[in-house]
Amino acid sequence: MNSEQDLAGLIGSRICHDLISPLGAIGNGIELLQMSGLPDSPEMALIVASVEAANARIRLFRLAFGQATPKSGSVPPTELRDILAAISKGGRLRYDWQAADEIPRLEAKAVMLALLCTETALPMGGDVRIDHSLGQWRITARSPRLRAEGPLWTGFGTQAEPVLGAAQVQFALLPATLAALGRKGSAAITADTLTL
């Protein structure tokens, strides 16, 4: 029998796998419509942007919530940059991925979960930089309207906090992912900067 953590990863992988194909088909259909001479319109631009955003979120969720083990292989930095660039497009958050090397899939999962935690502290948007040096990850988020307070940030990354709702599930999953890597997380918070 799989552990609850493994089961959650399998469910995440299954949902993302089943959604990526129809999203891809919608994207292909739009491309065919554009090639057939359909005039550009604000409505078509909205559909194209929405499909691109949904594809990017599914790819992020697949890394963050999908199954990952120490033997799951690695993720190239170009893939991670592409995902974050697509999520940033037209949004309030801007990501700057500075890690140059391929990273193990389980580490990518932890980083993506940490980024999802970071998003909750940036409701009005901001800049997020991701660095990897000497085996350590650092996520630095800056925003004039940072909101990183409350029980979810207390003991961040070191224990499973009570989940307040579906939008905070990453706070419960990150500590177990970090433990599987033999690591712990920490958060430093100032008026306009969050560092994980």
Side-chain angles (χ1 to χ4, degrees):
M1 176 93 178
N2 292 314
S3 70
E4 285 184 21
Q5 182 79 11
D6 292 339
L7 193 56
L10 288 169
I11 292 168
S13 291
R14 173 62 190 264
I15 291 170
C16 291
H17 178 271
D18 287 357
L19 288 177
I20 203 75
S21 291
L23 279 172
I26 293 168
N28 291 339
I30 292 168
E31 195 173 314
L32 288 172
L33 286 171
Q34 291 172 324
M35 289 171 53
S36 71
L38 188 72
D40 288 334
S41 67
E43 295 83 5
M44 184 60 77
L46 178 61
I47 293 169
V48 169
S50 297
V51 170
E52 288 174 355
N55 262 314
R57 288 309 273 190
I58 291 291
R59 291 171 65 201
L60 174 91
F61 291 159
R62 191 176 210 173
L63 286 171
F65 299 119
Q67 187 181 33
T69 67
K71 298 178 182 180
S72 292
S74 59
V75 183
T78 52
E79 180 180 345
L80 298 165
R81 279 192 199 99
D82 288 348
I83 291 169
L84 296 176
I87 288 171
S88 298
K89 191 175 179 181
R92 295 178 177 174
L93 291 174
R94 290 166 302 281
Y95 293 96
D96 181 13
W97 184 274
Q98 289 295 311
D101 300 323
E102 287 197 358
I103 63 171
R105 172 73 174 77
L106 192 57
E107 280 190 41
K109 179 182 180 78
V111 173
M112 294 301 119
L113 286 168
L115 288 177
L116 289 172
C117 291
T118 302
E119 280 185 6
T120 68
L122 303 167
M124 302 305 291
D127 297 301
V128 182
R129 180 182 169 112
I130 304 101
D131 293 292
H132 185 245
S133 178
L134 303 174
Q136 297 294 314
W137 288 95
R138 178 182 298 266
I139 297 170
T140 308
R142 290 187 171 82
S143 174
R145 294 196 176 175
L146 189 69
R147 290 191 189 152
E149 65 273 334
L152 292 174
W153 291 102
T154 305
F156 170 81
T158 58
Q159 60 189 17
E161 295 291 339
V163 177
L164 302 177
Q168 294 88 28
V169 69
Q170 60 272 20
F171 285 92
L173 295 173
L174 180 59
T177 304
L178 290 173
L181 290 164
R183 298 180 181 194
K184 291 183 179 181
S186 65
I189 303 164
T190 67
D192 62 358
T193 304
L194 169 66
T195 305
L196 307 183

PDB file of all heavy atoms in Angstrom, residues 23-37:
ATOM      1  N   LEU A  23      -6.103  20.150 -23.133  1.00  0.00           N
ATOM      2  CA  LEU A  23      -5.609  21.517 -23.272  1.00  0.00           C
ATOM      3  C   LEU A  23      -4.738  21.647 -24.518  1.00  0.00           C
ATOM      4  O   LEU A  23      -4.811  22.638 -25.244  1.00  0.00           O
ATOM      5  CB  LEU A  23      -4.813  21.939 -22.036  1.00  0.00           C
ATOM      6  CG  LEU A  23      -5.635  22.397 -20.843  1.00  0.00           C
ATOM      7  CD1 LEU A  23      -4.746  22.602 -19.629  1.00  0.00           C
ATOM      8  CD2 LEU A  23      -6.383  23.675 -21.171  1.00  0.00           C
ATOM      9  N   GLY A  24      -3.915  20.625 -24.761  1.00  0.00           N
ATOM     10  CA  GLY A  24      -3.095  20.612 -25.969  1.00  0.00           C
ATOM     11  C   GLY A  24      -3.952  20.583 -27.222  1.00  0.00           C
ATOM     12  O   GLY A  24      -3.665  21.264 -28.214  1.00  0.00           O
ATOM     13  N   ALA A  25      -5.030  19.812 -27.182  1.00  0.00           N
ATOM     14  CA  ALA A  25      -5.940  19.734 -28.330  1.00  0.00           C
ATOM     15  C   ALA A  25      -6.619  21.081 -28.583  1.00  0.00           C
ATOM     16  O   ALA A  25      -6.778  21.500 -29.735  1.00  0.00           O
ATOM     17  CB  ALA A  25      -6.986  18.644 -28.093  1.00  0.00           C
ATOM     18  N   ILE A  26      -7.011  21.769 -27.520  1.00  0.00           N
ATOM     19  CA  ILE A  26      -7.622  23.092 -27.680  1.00  0.00           C
ATOM     20  C   ILE A  26      -6.604  24.049 -28.314  1.00  0.00           C
ATOM     21  O   ILE A  26      -6.924  24.798 -29.240  1.00  0.00           O
ATOM     22  CB  ILE A  26      -8.124  23.643 -26.326  1.00  0.00           C
ATOM     23  CG1 ILE A  26      -9.290  22.798 -25.811  1.00  0.00           C
ATOM     24  CG2 ILE A  26      -8.540  25.110 -26.463  1.00  0.00           C
ATOM     25  CD1 ILE A  26      -9.659  23.081 -24.363  1.00  0.00           C
ATOM     26  N   GLY A  27      -5.367  24.007 -27.826  1.00  0.00           N
ATOM     27  CA  GLY A  27      -4.319  24.852 -28.391  1.00  0.00           C
ATOM     28  C   GLY A  27      -4.086  24.560 -29.865  1.00  0.00           C
ATOM     29  O   GLY A  27      -3.939  25.476 -30.679  1.00  0.00           O
ATOM     30  N   ASN A  28      -4.071  23.272 -30.224  1.00  0.00           N
ATOM     31  CA  ASN A  28      -3.900  22.893 -31.630  1.00  0.00           C
ATOM     32  C   ASN A  28      -5.082  23.361 -32.475  1.00  0.00           C
ATOM     33  O   ASN A  28      -4.908  23.809 -33.613  1.00  0.00           O
ATOM     34  CB  ASN A  28      -3.729  21.375 -31.763  1.00  0.00           C
ATOM     35  CG  ASN A  28      -2.409  20.894 -31.204  1.00  0.00           C
ATOM     36  OD1 ASN A  28      -1.464  21.653 -31.072  1.00  0.00           O
ATOM     37  ND2 ASN A  28      -2.352  19.619 -30.860  1.00  0.00           N
ATOM     38  N   GLY A  29      -6.282  23.252 -31.928  1.00  0.00           N
ATOM     39  CA  GLY A  29      -7.470  23.712 -32.642  1.00  0.00           C
ATOM     40  C   GLY A  29      -7.426  25.208 -32.902  1.00  0.00           C
ATOM     41  O   GLY A  29      -7.763  25.679 -34.001  1.00  0.00           O
ATOM     42  N   ILE A  30      -6.989  25.972 -31.920  1.00  0.00           N
ATOM     43  CA  ILE A  30      -6.867  27.427 -32.092  1.00  0.00           C
ATOM     44  C   ILE A  30      -5.838  27.747 -33.170  1.00  0.00           C
ATOM     45  O   ILE A  30      -6.054  28.614 -34.021  1.00  0.00           O
ATOM     46  CB  ILE A  30      -6.487  28.089 -30.750  1.00  0.00           C
ATOM     47  CG1 ILE A  30      -7.646  27.977 -29.762  1.00  0.00           C
ATOM     48  CG2 ILE A  30      -6.081  29.542 -30.957  1.00  0.00           C
ATOM     49  CD1 ILE A  30      -7.282  28.334 -28.343  1.00  0.00           C
ATOM     50  N   GLU A  31      -4.719  27.021 -33.138  1.00  0.00           N
ATOM     51  CA  GLU A  31      -3.678  27.237 -34.145  1.00  0.00           C
ATOM     52  C   GLU A  31      -4.212  26.955 -35.550  1.00  0.00           C
ATOM     53  O   GLU A  31      -3.945  27.708 -36.494  1.00  0.00           O
ATOM     54  CB  GLU A  31      -2.481  26.330 -33.832  1.00  0.00           C
ATOM     55  CG  GLU A  31      -1.219  26.706 -34.553  1.00  0.00           C
ATOM     56  CD  GLU A  31      -0.028  25.888 -34.082  1.00  0.00           C
ATOM     57  OE1 GLU A  31       0.148  25.744 -32.853  1.00  0.00           O
ATOM     58  OE2 GLU A  31       0.712  25.394 -34.945  1.00  0.00           O
ATOM     59  N   LEU A  32      -4.994  25.884 -35.703  1.00  0.00           N
ATOM     60  CA  LEU A  32      -5.585  25.561 -37.013  1.00  0.00           C
ATOM     61  C   LEU A  32      -6.565  26.647 -37.465  1.00  0.00           C
ATOM     62  O   LEU A  32      -6.610  27.007 -38.647  1.00  0.00           O
ATOM     63  CB  LEU A  32      -6.287  24.202 -36.960  1.00  0.00           C
ATOM     64  CG  LEU A  32      -5.356  22.978 -36.875  1.00  0.00           C
ATOM     65  CD1 LEU A  32      -6.167  21.717 -36.620  1.00  0.00           C
ATOM     66  CD2 LEU A  32      -4.527  22.857 -38.148  1.00  0.00           C
ATOM     67  N   LEU A  33      -7.365  27.170 -36.526  1.00  0.00           N
ATOM     68  CA  LEU A  33      -8.286  28.249 -36.861  1.00  0.00           C
ATOM     69  C   LEU A  33      -7.536  29.492 -37.343  1.00  0.00           C
ATOM     70  O   LEU A  33      -7.932  30.139 -38.313  1.00  0.00           O
ATOM     71  CB  LEU A  33      -9.161  28.607 -35.653  1.00  0.00           C
ATOM     72  CG  LEU A  33     -10.275  27.629 -35.296  1.00  0.00           C
ATOM     73  CD1 LEU A  33     -10.904  28.011 -33.954  1.00  0.00           C
ATOM     74  CD2 LEU A  33     -11.336  27.604 -36.387  1.00  0.00           C
ATOM     75  N   GLN A  34      -6.428  29.801 -36.651  1.00  0.00           N
ATOM     76  CA  GLN A  34      -5.639  30.965 -37.055  1.00  0.00           C
ATOM     77  C   GLN A  34      -5.006  30.756 -38.433  1.00  0.00           C
ATOM     78  O   GLN A  34      -4.945  31.677 -39.241  1.00  0.00           O
ATOM     79  CB  GLN A  34      -4.565  31.263 -36.001  1.00  0.00           C
ATOM     80  CG  GLN A  34      -5.149  31.776 -34.696  1.00  0.00           C
ATOM     81  CD  GLN A  34      -4.121  31.881 -33.586  1.00  0.00           C
ATOM     82  OE1 GLN A  34      -3.210  31.056 -33.485  1.00  0.00           O
ATOM     83  NE2 GLN A  34      -4.259  32.897 -32.744  1.00  0.00           N
ATOM     84  N   MET A  35      -4.549  29.529 -38.697  1.00  0.00           N
ATOM     85  CA  MET A  35      -3.933  29.232 -39.996  1.00  0.00           C
ATOM     86  C   MET A  35      -4.959  29.256 -41.121  1.00  0.00           C
ATOM     87  O   MET A  35      -4.612  29.499 -42.280  1.00  0.00           O
ATOM     88  CB  MET A  35      -3.232  27.870 -39.944  1.00  0.00           C
ATOM     89  CG  MET A  35      -1.968  27.884 -39.106  1.00  0.00           C
ATOM     90  SD  MET A  35      -1.255  26.242 -38.797  1.00  0.00           S
ATOM     91  CE  MET A  35      -1.120  25.566 -40.422  1.00  0.00           C
ATOM     92  N   SER A  36      -6.221  29.007 -40.800  1.00  0.00           N
ATOM     93  CA  SER A  36      -7.259  28.980 -41.831  1.00  0.00           C
ATOM     94  C   SER A  36      -7.735  30.380 -42.217  1.00  0.00           C
ATOM     95  O   SER A  36      -8.627  30.523 -43.042  1.00  0.00           O
ATOM     96  CB  SER A  36      -8.444  28.134 -41.368  1.00  0.00           C
ATOM     97  OG  SER A  36      -9.142  28.798 -40.331  1.00  0.00           O
ATOM     98  N   GLY A  37      -7.141  31.396 -41.608  1.00  0.00           N
ATOM     99  CA  GLY A  37      -7.473  32.764 -41.984  1.00  0.00           C
ATOM    100  C   GLY A  37      -8.457  33.445 -41.068  1.00  0.00           C
ATOM    101  O   GLY A  37      -8.940  34.537 -41.392  1.00  0.00           O
TER     102      GLY A  37
END
